[in-house]
Amino acid sequence: MEEKTWVRMVTAQTPTNIAVIKYWGKRDETLILPVNDSISVTLDPAHLCTTTTVAVSPSFDQDRMWLNGKEFSLSGGRYQNCLREIRARACDVQDEEKGIKIAKKDWEKLNVHVASYNNFPTAAGLASSAAGFACLVFALAKLMNAKEDNSELSAIARQGSGSACRSLFGGFVKWNMGKAEDGSDSLAVQLVDEKHWDELVIIIAVVSSRQKETSSTTGMRDSVETSLLLEHRAKEVVPKRTKQMEEAIKNRDFGSFAQLACADSNQFHAVCLDTCPPIFYMNDTSHRIISCVEKWNRSEESPQVAYTFDAGPNAVLIAHNRKAATQLLQKLLFCFPPNSDADLDSYVIGDKSILKDAGIEDMKDVEALSPPPEIKNAERSKGEVSYFICTKPGRGPVLLADESQALLHPETGLPK
Ligand code: DP6
């Protein structure tokens, strides 16, 4: 290695994902191996993603990380496992322009700096760890010139957080549970890319909640230990459902897709109730949203919207197409209008063109919305939803070549 002045950096952007067939339960806690396959849709990184810059320099005296500007420890087992696995795959790096030459064997001795930023509130319960670990592993792999493809990298991201392995691809993604004891076949594969089913529109209702939820890690451990329904689900239900879901996605069969996604979300929450002590992730608002969607779907010839809920009260609603999304937004804004002091601009974020299609430009238009005809005596309750995010299926990880987008300073390797 040359003298101690250089800093080599890589910046990447990775999307979050939402499962339509849920991962819930591990057969190996350290390697993070699941008890069943799962399938997810990747969300458009324009609205929900993590950006991570990783840097290496002989002047760094330890591995360090900053998340949204605040320093965090990298000493946790999951970070250590990801770092170790990536370092083991590092290769020679040569950057002639900057005069940097790193030999494969040098990576063991070099420390890294990591800075990560989410373009959505970390605390909102929107799978920030999935995008975060996927981005960390993807960026480090590029920094260290690892030759593994995204599926192979997904098996490393999996060891950070299970759901992270599905964020290595865009479109629809399957995490194969695998059989091997060392986890080598427990990895993500892309089913179809984001262009395959591009009429889908996704609306996320970020539901207000005061209660601190049980973490997924703890919750699923309790479920594995105590829920008989989980055993039945993993053995009998998910294997069949996964095949049906793959078919539905391949054929763009929205009716089957919606039926399977809703049933799977409901079964996951039933497993939570079947856990001892029981876990409640959804709240009254979540239940009201389910009931709105169910009533509407039943009043139509075929389902227009699918819902799915993770380990929290937020609803992820997947609409068949733009027309369905427009109607959905009108119904949601009728039932869950913003607080009187809120402004519409911050109440509906992301792709605001759906709001325009719905003919809603200001709060007066929200007030004037008519009640959904399929809901008898529909009530309006303010403040139950914090905000809505309009988005769509999106692409997988990318490298950001433009150095101005890096989160670390090119000379010091410290946060900008
Ligand atoms: C309900 O991936 O957060 O979102 O592997 O322990 O980090 P760990 O759990 P995590 O669990 C996600 C659970 C879920 C369902 C899903 O994403 O499939």
Side-chain angles (χ1 to χ4, degrees):
M1 261 181 297
E2 330 260 290
E3 72 276 28
K4 301 195 165 206
T5 48
W6 53 265
V7 176
R8 175 177 152 83
M9 288 197 316
V10 164
T11 301
Q13 195 180 63
T14 303
T16 82
N17 71 80
I18 176 86
V20 291
I21 300 290
K22 304 291 184 193
Y23 146 54
W24 195 252
K26 297 181 185 72
R27 61 180 201 277
D28 184 312
E29 290 257 349
T30 318
L31 287 170
I32 311 199
L33 302 177
V35 295
N36 57 255
D37 293 340
S38 56
I39 295 180
S40 61
V41 56
T42 297
L43 305 181
D44 188 349
H47 309 124
L48 293 142
C49 74
T50 297
T51 303
T52 300
T53 300
V54 290
V56 62
S57 168
S59 67
F60 298 166
D61 54 11
Q62 65 185 86
D63 291 336
R64 293 177 77 183
M65 177 174 79
W66 295 264
L67 178 60
N68 294 326
K70 221 178 115 208
E71 181 149 17
F72 265 81
S73 161
L74 272 171
S75 64
R78 290 175 171 210
Y79 286 109
Q80 288 302 314
N81 290 346
C82 289
L83 282 167
R84 186 195 60 239
E85 292 301 311
I86 285 287
R87 276 196 173 103
R89 290 162 179 82
C91 295
D92 294 351
V93 168
Q94 192 159 1
D95 182 338
E96 288 189 357
E97 216 173 284
K98 290 194 173 164
I100 301 172
K101 215 171 161 182
I102 310 168
K104 193 177 163 71
K105 62 171 180 17
D106 294 334
W107 283 107
E108 288 291 314
K109 292 170 281 178
L110 287 164
N111 293 304
V112 292
H113 282 184
V114 179
S116 232
Y117 165 81
N118 296 328
N119 69 348
F120 57 95
T122 307
L126 294 167
S128 55
S129 70
F133 275 107
C135 208
L136 174 73
V137 168
F138 182 78
L140 283 174
K142 303 301 160 198
L143 180 81
M144 301 187 181
N145 195 20
K147 302 287 191 277
E148 278 65 24
D149 64 22
N150 282 13
S151 247
E152 289 161 324
L153 293 181
S154 81
I156 302 176
R158 189 200 73 225
Q159 298 175 53
S161 181
S163 52
C165 74
R166 299 183 312 237
S167 273
L168 264 309
F169 295 99
F172 282 90
V173 183
K174 182 178 176 194
W175 173 10
N176 285 316
M177 63 179 284
K179 286 198 202 87
E181 260 183 50
D182 66 356
S184 52
D185 56 354
S186 186
L187 34 80
V189 291
Q190 185 176 52
L191 294 175
V192 293
D193 70 14
E194 61 279 15
K195 286 180 226 88
H196 171 77
W197 205 351
D198 62 357
E199 19 160 44
L200 298 178
V201 176
I202 300 173
I203 299 180
I204 303 171
V206 178
V207 170
S208 319
S209 141
R210 264 160 283 119
Q211 121 205 11
K212 170 97 187 79
E213 281 119 30
T214 312
S215 78
S216 303
T217 308
T218 315
M220 67 177 86
R221 185 182 301 138
D222 289 349
S223 294
V224 168
E225 278 168 16
T226 62
S227 169
L228 288 177
L229 179 56
L230 179 126
E231 229 178 281
H232 170 69
R233 165 178 167 74
K235 265 205 210 112
E236 308 291 336
V237 182
V238 178
K240 286 189 202 109
R241 207 174 258 169
T242 308
K243 281 204 192 97
Q244 293 168 335
M245 183 56 101
E246 281 185 63
E247 277 300 296
I249 291 168
K250 206 170 76 198
N251 303 326
R252 296 186 210 92
D253 172 357
F254 191 80
S256 304
F257 172 82
Q259 189 265 322
L260 294 163
C262 298
D264 202 70
S265 171
N266 290 333
Q267 188 174 68
F268 152 51
H269 290 277
V271 165
C272 291
L273 274 185
D274 189 47
T275 298
C276 184
I279 314 164
F280 311 99
Y281 284 128
M282 294 195 285
N283 63 19
D284 288 352
T285 310
S286 320
H287 293 146
R288 279 190 67 206
I289 295 173
I290 293 184
S291 148
C292 278
V293 173
E294 288 284 355
K295 282 181 184 148
W296 184 29
N297 279 347
R298 262 150 231 272
S299 74
E300 298 281 335
E301 248 167 57
S302 61
Q304 298 301 306
V305 178
Y307 56 81
T308 187
F309 294 74
D310 274 351
N314 299 335
V316 177
L317 304 167
I318 308 175
H320 189 185
N321 50 34
R322 240 184 124 83
K323 187 171 163 234
T326 308
Q327 287 175 283
L328 174 66
L329 192 58
Q330 286 166 334
K331 290 174 199 291
L332 289 170
L333 286 173
F334 178 87
C335 296
F336 305 98
N339 275 324
S340 322
D341 55 351
D343 74 308
L344 192 59
D345 207 43
S346 48
Y347 196 60
V348 180
I349 62 172
D351 177 5
K352 289 178 198 274
S353 65
I354 295 158
L355 201 57
K356 222 169 154 204
D357 282 10
I360 302 167
E361 276 174 16
D362 52 32
M363 290 295 275
K364 271 198 244 99
D365 297 329
V366 176
E367 303 278 320
L369 283 167
S370 21
E374 67 280 2
I375 307 177
K376 264 193 217 119
N377 306 322
E379 279 174 37
R380 306 194 81 174
S381 43
K382 292 183 178 171
E384 286 189 29
V385 169
S386 302
Y387 55 94
F388 293 102
I389 307 171
C390 297
T391 185
K392 58 181 194 309
R395 64 160 150 74
V398 289
L399 283 177
L400 302 181
D402 178 3
E403 270 215 356
S404 70
Q405 285 173 290
L407 303 173
L408 294 169
H409 200 280
E411 269 130 46
T412 60
L414 290 168
K416 276 183 177 169

